[in-house]
Amino acid sequence: MMTDATTDARVMPMLTLQDVHTEVDGYHILEGVSFSVPRHQVTMLLGRNGVGKTSTLRTIMGLWRANRGTIALNGENIESLNTMNIARKGLHYVPENMGIFASLTVGENLRIACRSQRLEGERLDWVLQLFPALHTFWHWPAGHLSGGQKQMLAIARAVIEPCDLLLVDEPSKGLAPAIIQNLIQAFEALKSEQTTILMVEQNLHMAQRLGDHLVVMEDGRTLHEGRMADFATDSKRQAEWLGLSMEASV
Amino acid sequence: MTAYRSTETTAEVPAQPLKPRTHWRQRRDLQAAAIVPLVALVAAVLIGDLNAWLTLTLAGLAMGMMLFIMTSGFTLVFGLMDVLNFGHGAFISLGAFCGFSVMLSMDGWRLSDSLWLNLGAFGAAAIVAMTVAALMAWLFERILVRRVYGDHLMQILITMGGLIVAEQLIYVFWGGHDIPMLKPPAFQGGVQWGGLVFEKYRLLAVVLGGLLFIGLLLVFKRTRLGLLIRAGVENREMVESFGYNVRRLFVLVFMAGSALAALGGIMWGVYDEVITPHLGQSLMITVFIVAIIGGLGSIEGCFIAALLVGLLSNYVGFLAPKLALVSTIGLMVVVLLWRPQGLVPVSDGGK
Amino acid sequence: MFQALRDTLPSNRWIRALLLIIVVGIVLTPWLFEGTRALDTAARLSIFIVLAASYDLLLGYTGVVSFAHALFFGIGAYSVAIAFDQFAPGFGVMAMAILAGLSVSLVVAFVMGLVSLRVKTIFYAMITLAVASAATVLVSQFYHLTGGEDGLTYRLPRVLTPAFRPFDDPLFGVRLTGKLFNFYTVIFVAILLFLLMVRIVASPFGRVLKALRENDFRAEAIGYNTLVYRTTATLLSAAFATLAGVLMAIWLRYTGPDSVLSLDIMIDVLLMVVIGGMGTLYGAIIGATVLLLAQMYLQTLMGSTQDVLGGWPILANLFDPNRWLLWLGLLFIASVYFFPQGIVGRFSHPRATEAEAEVRT
């Protein structure tokens, strides 16, 4: 079990990756990724461009198959399951490009995300309160939404059904600072709901605001795992691992 | 529940959902659809004879409807799974042969003067042919298509092989000769309306095709299945990530698409009053053209393209008979120059 | 040339032996087999080997699937046929016809090559199929020129016809006629064309093509211009197919849609290349042989099987001699599955060449 002193090891982590290797089209993408995602916390997956953060999420989701290593959700191995079954285990995914169905309306996009129940009731009200714009543009084709609205729709879809673990890939990518503030607020609301989140993020300000736990990757491997709070004050490591500093990214 | 916090800082949000604003410029499907009456209008001027024009238009619409029925499955299979099925034509032939066998064995109903008995024979033939085609499609998918996802070269080769074998099997079961069969009595001849004569079977084809199109649209726009198919065409991975079984969805579409091909095959056969084992292979080319013109994966585009091809080949067949087939290829080239992805490109939703 | 042969020949000894037997068999047909049917088969075989090899140049070496390859074959055949139909048969006319045919083919191929670079493989396959069918329709509609569905029958220069008999004495039991002269012209040119293709494949150009097929992106990054290479390959492939068509027209003294232009011919060629082995060139020899022998002898075999099964209607139909394509279709599917490199590719592993190695690493 996890023995890293910096995390709360009393409860079993939600998700544990152990020495995961992934190969795509003959290229090694991941070469030994090991970390865990503590329950009810936000884990930030950081690293420079191209170190395998997105690939890690895709591998967890079963969109790419791990050649080696184990991925355990609540102690149960899921690395050999296909995407459909992984999703049914309670993993919800917001990909880097958001995966919006552009020709479907906002409402239809949400309806698809509701696999096991009807799209109605408290949960829907809650999501629409979280993202009022979705209510406004309910009948619009999702392709006509702005970038920030699309991102909110993508997140709304992922949380419209209660999920065990939410995987989010760079939600702030390409968004204006004001919109990023909105996103942060939305994620804070989710956090207070005790949602477990694993997020890839380049925006250090956002990562610092939301993150509890931290994983840093380099060259397809995990470089460091620890508490966000420690990392946030360590500008030397920030420069060393990410090549940038907190100040530069706000 | 958490306390409500607005995430929209600046914009004032109305309480009621807004009506979608759609500009004419954004509605590629409507723009494309407008071409159909335009072509008919231009043809009317060129032909100059109202009676001939009406006959040709009806014939064109009937042909277009049959083409739509045949092509819809092909284009959806491509849209959903990125699978190009060269064997689609085999299901057209299969449907025609099964249907003809059933109808020929139901002489009592087929030769009766009653429209309802005639329709009964036709309906029975359609049901049998579509069922057989769906089952064969299931086998076809399991044995051939399943293994070659993601590799277009292999798909073309293997489904081409499937087409060859399926066509030969039709020879084996039905012999190599053409099978002639007159239209049932109630389908023969025409309906007088004013001074104009409409061929009955063409009317039937138009009505049937129209109903099917509306039915398909309803399935697509109103049911969860349709919702999933539309979403899957845009982004398959994402549908899987929501925990849906896209594979099963695909097999279903593959079977339904092949069944529709079979239905189109019978309708075409009854119209021509003769079928040959090469029927599917020769129609396949037109099916490709329709699918490409419409935009691979788009059901609305497929409908518009089928009507365009049907009308154009009838008009051109009347005005300049030698150019009939070349005209559809010309149409394809022109459309691809205008819109390289076809008339109604399937949005790729940030794939 | 010998270096080119050595570089490209399949390494497997048995395949080499088989190739040798086929070539020797074709060349010595007049002495080895009796009857005009054998002669006809051998000539057709050599022509189809060239046609299949030229298709392989496209399919196997660039990965482009075209269903319009028979079109070039047809252009070659029809240019000679129309020339001989309209003018007095002579070698001058033939030379002009060949030139005309080649130019038409090259222009068509150039346009199609440009299209193929713009659209994806699948679109291209579908578009070429449509173009090919349009060509068939055009041929049947311009019947004043092409003879329509019936095709054209024409006279050849006298040296190439059975009526030409320069010697009275047979040579080792075979009478030397213009027909034999025709036969050897066809065989000689076919061998020449094939060797030329071997030379092309073995050249740096051929290796770059292969590299492009393996890894477009990477090869381009290294600095090879995909556009130029692909287009050149398309042009070459079309030119060879045209010349094969010329040979066909000369050999048959008849040119019609069914013999040079139909989709059936296209499918036959596709079967030959895939069964023989894509991207091997020599696969064309084996594939064409398998297909033509099957066409002739599988039918006989099936006929006798059918006689045994006479009492079972459907089962007997399965073995009807006309259903040989069914079994070849199954063989085709099996080969795509189990040995996508075809017979030749399955049993030999040609050495990785420099350009390929450069791209792989």
Side-chain angles (χ1 to χ4, degrees), chain B:
Chain B
M1 284 291 110
T2 16
Y4 162 63
R5 288 171 87 173
S6 171
T7 54
E8 198 72 45
T9 44
T10 47
E12 272 301 309
V13 178
Q16 284 303 308
L18 290 176
K19 281 241 175 332
R21 282 180 311 186
T22 41
H23 297 290
W24 165 249
R25 244 181 282 150
Q26 289 169 335
R27 294 300 300 270
R28 296 179 151 225
D29 47 346
L30 288 186
Q31 290 164 18
I35 302 173
V36 178
L38 213 69
V39 166
L41 216 69
V42 170
V45 174
L46 287 177
I47 292 167
D49 170 3
L50 181 68
N51 215 338
W53 178 78
L54 271 178
T55 310
L56 288 172
T57 305
L58 182 62
L61 288 178
M63 180 177 163
M65 291 296 183
M66 290 191 271
L67 284 178
F68 164 68
I69 293 171
M70 285 182 230
T71 314
S72 53
F74 173 80
T75 196
L76 273 183
V77 163
F78 181 84
L80 190 57
M81 286 316 251
D82 205 17
V83 164
L84 191 74
N85 181 14
F86 268 71
H88 193 72
F91 296 103
I92 298 177
S93 301
L94 184 69
F97 275 86
C98 281
F100 264 47
S101 294
V102 172
M103 284 178 84
L104 286 170
S105 69
M106 295 176 72
D107 273 349
W109 288 22
R110 182 173 65 92
L111 298 176
S112 140
D113 285 330
S114 148
L115 173 65
W116 296 110
L117 287 184
N118 285 176
L119 276 176
F122 185 78
I127 289 168
V128 171
M130 289 171 80
T131 314
V132 171
L135 290 175
M136 291 306 291
W138 181 74
L139 268 180
F140 200 85
E141 202 277 338
R142 272 211 95 92
I143 299 174
L144 296 181
V145 181
R146 180 163 295 190
R147 308 197 190 186
V148 289
Y149 283 132
D151 186 342
H152 282 146
L153 178 64
M154 291 283 272
Q155 278 169 18
I156 294 170
L157 295 180
I158 214 122
T159 55
M160 199 75 197
L163 175 67
I164 295 170
V165 170
E167 202 171 77
Q168 292 295 318
L169 283 175
I170 287 175
Y171 280 105
V172 167
F173 281 92
W174 279 280
H177 44 86
D178 303 354
I179 301 181
M181 184 184 76
L182 287 180
K183 289 189 189 91
F187 296 173
Q188 287 173 6
V191 189
Q192 283 266 344
W193 189 62
L196 308 168
V197 183
F198 298 101
E199 204 178 304
K200 281 186 200 163
Y201 188 73
R202 287 177 178 161
L203 284 175
L204 180 78
V206 171
V207 170
L208 209 60
L211 285 178
L212 246 158
F213 177 60
I214 293 169
L216 277 179
L217 272 193
L218 283 178
V219 168
F220 278 115
K221 301 284 182 201
R222 293 266 181 275
T223 68
R224 193 172 189 79
L225 179 73
L227 191 63
L228 285 175
I229 292 173
R230 279 189 291 147
V233 167
E234 265 195 45
N235 191 338
R236 187 171 79 236
E237 263 184 8
M238 207 55 223
V239 177
E240 265 169 3
S241 299
F242 284 125
Y244 293 99
N245 192 340
V246 179
R247 275 221 43 82
R248 202 169 57 197
L249 186 71
F250 172 65
V251 175
L252 204 73
V253 170
F254 197 86
M255 289 170 71
S258 303
L260 284 177
L263 178 64
I266 314 178
M267 288 174 68
W268 195 276
V270 173
Y271 184 55
D272 274 355
E273 303 195 319
V274 64
I275 50 173
T276 68
H278 262 76
L279 179 75
Q281 215 186 65
S282 51
L283 278 172
M284 206 42 212
I285 291 160
T286 318
V287 164
F288 283 167
I289 294 176
V290 170
I292 292 181
I293 292 178
L296 279 169
S298 157
I299 198 80
E300 292 97 337
C302 171
F303 186 71
I304 296 167
L307 290 185
L308 269 181
V309 167
L311 286 173
L312 199 71
S313 27
N314 275 281
Y315 294 144
V316 176
F318 178 80
L319 291 167
K322 288 194 174 180
L323 299 177
L325 184 92
V326 186
S327 73
T328 55
I329 291 175
L331 177 68
M332 176 174 80
V333 171
V334 171
V335 166
L336 288 183
L337 286 178
W338 179 38
R339 286 187 181 160
Q341 301 292 315
L343 284 177
V344 185
V346 174
S347 152
D348 52 3
K351 222 189 284 184

Side-chain angles (χ1 to χ4, degrees), chain C residues 174-258:
Chain C
V174 175
R175 189 172 280 282
L176 301 176
T177 65
K179 177 94 173 167
L180 205 64
F181 187 56
N182 189 342
F183 177 78
Y184 277 110
T185 311
V186 167
I187 302 291
F188 177 74
V189 176
I191 291 177
L192 206 70
L193 290 176
F194 190 84
L195 289 179
L196 212 62
M197 282 189 262
V198 168
R199 187 71 195 80
I200 289 171
V201 167
S203 71
F205 171 78
R207 287 188 297 238
V208 174
L209 273 188
K210 250 191 152 153
L212 283 176
R213 186 191 58 183
E214 303 281 323
N215 196 333
D216 243 9
F217 184 67
R218 199 141 189 180
E220 201 155 347
I222 292 175
Y224 295 121
N225 188 339
T226 319
L227 193 114
V228 172
Y229 280 92
R230 286 248 160 101
T231 314
T232 315
T234 313
L235 290 178
L236 283 173
S237 147
F240 281 107
T242 311
L243 293 175
V246 167
L247 290 182
M248 197 67 167
I250 292 173
W251 174 249
L252 284 184
R253 285 188 286 163
Y254 160 81
T255 296
D258 287 337

